[in-house]
Structure formats: C-alpha cells, structure tokens
mmCIF file of all heavy atoms in Angstrom:
data_model
loop_
_atom_site.group_PDB
_atom_site.id
_atom_site.type_symbol
_atom_site.label_atom_id
_atom_site.label_comp_id
_atom_site.label_asym_id
_atom_site.label_seq_id
_atom_site.Cartn_x
_atom_site.Cartn_y
_atom_site.Cartn_z
ATOM 1 N N LEU M 1145 12.686 35.870 24.361
ATOM 2 C CA LEU M 1145 13.996 36.023 23.728
ATOM 3 C C LEU M 1145 14.937 34.895 24.121
ATOM 4 O O LEU M 1145 15.767 34.457 23.300
ATOM 5 C CB LEU M 1145 14.600 37.381 24.069
ATOM 6 C CG LEU M 1145 13.919 38.616 23.473
ATOM 7 C CD1 LEU M 1145 14.797 39.852 23.656
ATOM 8 C CD2 LEU M 1145 13.580 38.441 22.012
ATOM 9 N N THR M 1146 14.832 34.433 25.349
ATOM 10 C CA THR M 1146 15.662 33.287 25.756
ATOM 11 C C THR M 1146 15.350 32.071 24.899
ATOM 12 O O THR M 1146 16.260 31.362 24.416
ATOM 13 C CB THR M 1146 15.426 32.971 27.237
ATOM 14 O OG1 THR M 1146 15.818 34.102 28.031
ATOM 15 C CG2 THR M 1146 16.227 31.754 27.676
ATOM 16 N N GLU M 1147 14.074 31.802 24.678
ATOM 17 C CA GLU M 1147 13.674 30.664 23.858
ATOM 18 C C GLU M 1147 14.068 30.870 22.403
ATOM 19 O O GLU M 1147 14.542 29.928 21.740
ATOM 20 C CB GLU M 1147 12.168 30.433 23.981
ATOM 21 C CG GLU M 1147 11.613 29.331 23.104
ATOM 22 C CD GLU M 1147 12.085 27.930 23.460
ATOM 23 O OE1 GLU M 1147 12.900 27.786 24.400
ATOM 24 O OE2 GLU M 1147 11.665 26.966 22.790
ATOM 25 N N GLN M 1148 13.906 32.075 21.892
ATOM 26 C CA GLN M 1148 14.250 32.324 20.491
ATOM 27 C C GLN M 1148 15.754 32.235 20.271
ATOM 28 O O GLN M 1148 16.206 31.782 19.209
ATOM 29 C CB GLN M 1148 13.683 33.672 20.053
ATOM 30 C CG GLN M 1148 12.161 33.622 19.922
ATOM 31 C CD GLN M 1148 11.549 34.985 19.668
ATOM 32 O OE1 GLN M 1148 11.644 35.515 18.577
ATOM 33 N NE2 GLN M 1148 10.906 35.538 20.682
ATOM 34 N N ALA M 1149 16.547 32.638 21.264
ATOM 35 C CA ALA M 1149 17.992 32.456 21.167
ATOM 36 C C ALA M 1149 18.335 30.957 21.138
ATOM 37 O O ALA M 1149 19.202 30.512 20.379
ATOM 38 C CB ALA M 1149 18.688 33.135 22.341
ATOM 39 N N ARG M 1150 17.621 30.171 21.928
ATOM 40 C CA ARG M 1150 17.878 28.730 21.992
ATOM 41 C C ARG M 1150 17.600 28.048 20.662
ATOM 42 O O ARG M 1150 18.373 27.171 20.223
ATOM 43 C CB ARG M 1150 17.041 28.096 23.102
ATOM 44 C CG ARG M 1150 17.328 26.601 23.311
ATOM 45 C CD ARG M 1150 16.370 25.979 24.301
ATOM 46 N NE ARG M 1150 15.040 25.794 23.743
ATOM 47 C CZ ARG M 1150 14.676 24.780 22.964
ATOM 48 N NH1 ARG M 1150 15.561 23.847 22.621
ATOM 49 N NH2 ARG M 1150 13.432 24.679 22.510
ATOM 50 N N ILE M 1151 16.507 28.429 20.000
ATOM 51 C CA ILE M 1151 16.120 27.741 18.769
ATOM 52 C C ILE M 1151 16.660 28.428 17.512
ATOM 53 O O ILE M 1151 16.427 27.955 16.395
ATOM 54 C CB ILE M 1151 14.586 27.601 18.671
ATOM 55 C CG1 ILE M 1151 13.899 28.965 18.564
ATOM 56 C CG2 ILE M 1151 14.048 26.798 19.847
ATOM 57 C CD1 ILE M 1151 12.377 28.879 18.387
ATOM 58 N N GLY M 1152 17.364 29.540 17.691
ATOM 59 C CA GLY M 1152 17.956 30.238 16.559
ATOM 60 C C GLY M 1152 16.973 31.027 15.728
ATOM 61 O O GLY M 1152 17.137 31.146 14.506
ATOM 62 N N ALA M 1153 15.962 31.589 16.367
ATOM 63 C CA ALA M 1153 14.917 32.338 15.663
ATOM 64 C C ALA M 1153 15.137 33.840 15.802
ATOM 65 O O ALA M 1153 15.701 34.321 16.795
ATOM 66 C CB ALA M 1153 13.540 31.964 16.205
ATOM 67 N N LEU M 1154 14.655 34.572 14.839
ATOM 68 C CA LEU M 1154 14.727 36.028 14.823
ATOM 69 C C LEU M 1154 13.532 36.619 15.563
ATOM 70 O O LEU M 1154 12.385 36.225 15.320
ATOM 71 C CB LEU M 1154 14.738 36.525 13.376
ATOM 72 C CG LEU M 1154 14.633 38.041 13.144
ATOM 73 C CD1 LEU M 1154 15.847 38.763 13.720
ATOM 74 C CD2 LEU M 1154 14.482 38.344 11.655
ATOM 75 N N ALA M 1155 13.795 37.571 16.448
ATOM 76 C CA ALA M 1155 12.731 38.304 17.138
ATOM 77 C C ALA M 1155 12.547 39.656 16.469
ATOM 78 O O ALA M 1155 13.503 40.416 16.319
ATOM 79 C CB ALA M 1155 13.095 38.507 18.611
ATOM 80 N N ILE M 1156 11.320 39.950 16.045
ATOM 81 C CA ILE M 1156 11.020 41.251 15.439
ATOM 82 C C ILE M 1156 10.067 41.987 16.380
ATOM 83 O O ILE M 1156 9.075 41.428 16.844
ATOM 84 C CB ILE M 1156 10.451 41.096 14.018
ATOM 85 C CG1 ILE M 1156 9.119 40.337 14.004
ATOM 86 C CG2 ILE M 1156 11.466 40.381 13.129
ATOM 87 C CD1 ILE M 1156 8.423 40.342 12.658
ATOM 88 N N ILE M 1157 10.375 43.250 16.663
ATOM 89 C CA ILE M 1157 9.766 43.918 17.811
ATOM 90 C C ILE M 1157 9.159 45.264 17.426
ATOM 91 O O ILE M 1157 9.825 46.113 16.826
ATOM 92 C CB ILE M 1157 10.798 44.145 18.925
ATOM 93 C CG1 ILE M 1157 11.526 42.842 19.283
ATOM 94 C CG2 ILE M 1157 10.133 44.759 20.149
ATOM 95 C CD1 ILE M 1157 10.685 41.763 19.895
ATOM 96 N N HIS M 1158 7.886 45.446 17.813
ATOM 97 C CA HIS M 1158 7.262 46.772 17.815
ATOM 98 C C HIS M 1158 7.672 47.431 19.123
ATOM 99 O O HIS M 1158 7.223 47.032 20.203
ATOM 100 C CB HIS M 1158 5.747 46.644 17.720
ATOM 101 C CG HIS M 1158 5.032 47.967 17.719
ATOM 102 N ND1 HIS M 1158 4.170 48.354 16.702
ATOM 103 C CD2 HIS M 1158 5.011 48.994 18.603
ATOM 104 C CE1 HIS M 1158 3.678 49.546 16.970
ATOM 105 N NE2 HIS M 1158 4.171 49.955 18.123
ATOM 106 N N ALA M 1159 8.538 48.433 19.019
ATOM 107 C CA ALA M 1159 9.178 49.003 20.200
ATOM 108 C C ALA M 1159 8.620 50.385 20.527
ATOM 109 O O ALA M 1159 9.096 51.408 20.031
ATOM 110 C CB ALA M 1159 10.687 49.077 19.996
ATOM 111 N N GLU M 1160 7.590 50.408 21.366
ATOM 112 C CA GLU M 1160 7.115 51.622 22.026
ATOM 113 C C GLU M 1160 6.860 51.248 23.480
ATOM 114 O O GLU M 1160 6.396 50.143 23.783
ATOM 115 C CB GLU M 1160 5.836 52.162 21.383
ATOM 116 C CG GLU M 1160 6.029 52.779 20.010
ATOM 117 C CD GLU M 1160 4.725 53.360 19.466
ATOM 118 O OE1 GLU M 1160 3.842 52.550 19.087
ATOM 119 O OE2 GLU M 1160 4.579 54.590 19.421
ATOM 120 N N ASP M 1161 7.156 52.160 24.389
ATOM 121 C CA ASP M 1161 7.040 51.873 25.814
ATOM 122 C C ASP M 1161 5.667 52.276 26.341
ATOM 123 O O ASP M 1161 5.268 53.443 26.206
ATOM 124 C CB ASP M 1161 8.125 52.618 26.581
ATOM 125 C CG ASP M 1161 8.136 52.230 28.044
ATOM 126 O OD1 ASP M 1161 8.730 51.192 28.380
ATOM 127 O OD2 ASP M 1161 7.505 52.958 28.848
ATOM 128 N N PRO M 1162 4.922 51.355 26.964
ATOM 129 C CA PRO M 1162 3.564 51.689 27.396
ATOM 130 C C PRO M 1162 3.514 52.736 28.491
ATOM 131 O O PRO M 1162 2.574 53.549 28.538
ATOM 132 C CB PRO M 1162 3.001 50.346 27.873
ATOM 133 C CG PRO M 1162 4.189 49.490 28.141
ATOM 134 C CD PRO M 1162 5.257 49.941 27.196
ATOM 135 N N ALA M 1163 4.511 52.757 29.388
ATOM 136 C CA ALA M 1163 4.501 53.750 30.461
ATOM 137 C C ALA M 1163 4.703 55.157 29.905
ATOM 138 O O ALA M 1163 4.053 56.118 30.356
ATOM 139 C CB ALA M 1163 5.579 53.417 31.489
ATOM 140 N N VAL M 1164 5.593 55.297 28.931
ATOM 141 C CA VAL M 1164 5.795 56.613 28.304
ATOM 142 C C VAL M 1164 4.544 57.042 27.568
ATOM 143 O O VAL M 1164 4.124 58.220 27.653
ATOM 144 C CB VAL M 1164 7.005 56.570 27.352
ATOM 145 C CG1 VAL M 1164 7.132 57.890 26.586
ATOM 146 C CG2 VAL M 1164 8.292 56.283 28.123
ATOM 147 N N LEU M 1165 3.911 56.126 26.861
ATOM 148 C CA LEU M 1165 2.674 56.459 26.151
ATOM 149 C C LEU M 1165 1.580 56.876 27.123
ATOM 150 O O LEU M 1165 0.836 57.835 26.872
ATOM 151 C CB LEU M 1165 2.209 55.268 25.324
ATOM 152 C CG LEU M 1165 3.119 54.845 24.161
ATOM 153 C CD1 LEU M 1165 2.568 53.599 23.487
ATOM 154 C CD2 LEU M 1165 3.286 55.965 23.146
ATOM 155 N N GLU M 1166 1.481 56.180 28.242
ATOM 156 C CA GLU M 1166 0.437 56.505 29.218
ATOM 157 C C GLU M 1166 0.657 57.865 29.842
ATOM 158 O O GLU M 1166 -0.301 58.590 30.142
ATOM 159 C CB GLU M 1166 0.400 55.426 30.299
ATOM 160 C CG GLU M 1166 -0.750 55.572 31.276
ATOM 161 C CD GLU M 1166 -0.830 54.430 32.259
ATOM 162 O OE1 GLU M 1166 -0.225 53.368 32.009
ATOM 163 O OE2 GLU M 1166 -1.516 54.586 33.282
ATOM 164 N N ALA M 1167 1.920 58.244 30.010
ATOM 165 C CA ALA M 1167 2.234 59.533 30.630
ATOM 166 C C ALA M 1167 2.151 60.698 29.655
ATOM 167 O O ALA M 1167 2.080 61.861 30.082
ATOM 168 C CB ALA M 1167 3.638 59.474 31.238
ATOM 169 N N ALA M 1168 2.167 60.417 28.357
ATOM 170 C CA ALA M 1168 2.136 61.484 27.355
ATOM 171 C C ALA M 1168 0.757 62.144 27.325
ATOM 172 O O ALA M 1168 -0.246 61.517 27.672
ATOM 173 C CB ALA M 1168 2.477 60.916 25.988
ATOM 174 N N PRO M 1169 0.698 63.399 26.895
ATOM 175 C CA PRO M 1169 -0.610 64.073 26.819
ATOM 176 C C PRO M 1169 -1.525 63.406 25.815
ATOM 177 O O PRO M 1169 -1.108 63.105 24.690
ATOM 178 C CB PRO M 1169 -0.244 65.500 26.387
ATOM 179 C CG PRO M 1169 1.104 65.387 25.741
ATOM 180 C CD PRO M 1169 1.796 64.275 26.451
#
C-alpha cells in the first residue's frame, strides 16, 4: 500500500482474515 500510494495506484482487496477462518468450525 505504501508503494501504491506513491505511484497513485488503486489497491483492490479480498478481505477475509486468515486467523478468524482458521478458528472457525
């Protein structure tokens, strides 16, 4: 994100947390 902010690029994110997924049944 620091680099993308520098070059003016858009970051698109698949947002799921691996720790929550690992702890889920």
Side-chain angles (χ1 to χ4, degrees):
L1145 291 192
T1146 298
E1147 176 67 358
Q1148 289 172 74
R1150 184 187 74 81
I1151 64 177
L1154 173 64
I1156 62 171
I1157 308 294
H1158 180 123
E1160 289 183 288
D1161 186 82
V1164 174
L1165 295 177
E1166 187 175 343

